[in-house]
Amino acid sequence: MNKFIASICLLLCLTGCERGRTVVVHAMANGHDVVYSQVNVIGQLATFRCLRSETGQCHYTVVADDCAPASTACPSPPRRFTVAEGNTMSFTSLPSGFRSCVAATAAPDGDCAPLAAAIASASP
């Protein structure tokens, strides 16, 4: 009977599990962290974690995947938000297959600059 119950529990766990994705951004300059961030996505839940930042804050920009560079029409406006170092922020309403970028400053730089330019050119 114990094996049967264990088998049912295992089956329920496997059917309820959904594989997710994790994106880690760790930028360093002169031996210290500029920004260190982790984004976990499982199903509809996206959690943004600011691990370290030279400014004490991680500045995120999130856009729908079809707003990627060279796109002219975005179905939803970009979402910009700030997470303090050591904190997390979670969302369940982001576009499916969204793209995100993180920087230590509110002004886009480095890898965030092309994404910000695409947003600016796609905005009415």
Side-chain angles (χ1 to χ4, degrees):
M1 187 64 162
N2 288 341
K3 289 182 183 180
F4 176 72
I5 292 172
S7 299
I8 295 298
C9 289
L10 179 62
L11 180 63
L12 290 173
C13 287
L14 291 176
T15 58
C17 293
E18 183 174 337
R19 295 189 64 99
R21 64 181 165 123
T22 300
V23 178
V24 176
V25 174
H26 190 189
M28 296 181 71
N30 298 322
H32 73 280
D33 292 321
V34 174
V35 67
Y36 184 21
S37 167
Q38 182 178 5
V39 179
N40 295 312
V41 181
I42 298 176
Q44 294 291 320
L45 180 65
T47 303
F48 296 80
R49 180 173 289 119
C50 180
L51 299 169
R52 283 191 291 282
S53 172
E54 68 181 353
T55 62
Q57 298 178 325
C58 294
H59 300 272
Y60 292 92
T61 301
V62 177
V63 297
D65 191 40
D66 46 1
C67 291
S71 175
T72 58
C74 293
S76 60
R79 181 174 281 184
R80 292 185 174 99
F81 56 92
T82 301
V83 178
E85 183 178 271
N87 289 334
T88 62
M89 188 174 288
S90 297
F91 297 96
T92 57
S93 59
L94 295 176
S96 178
F98 69 87
R99 296 185 65 180
S100 66
C101 192
V102 62
T105 61
D109 60 350
D111 293 335
C112 289
L115 187 59
I119 293 167
S121 67
S123 298

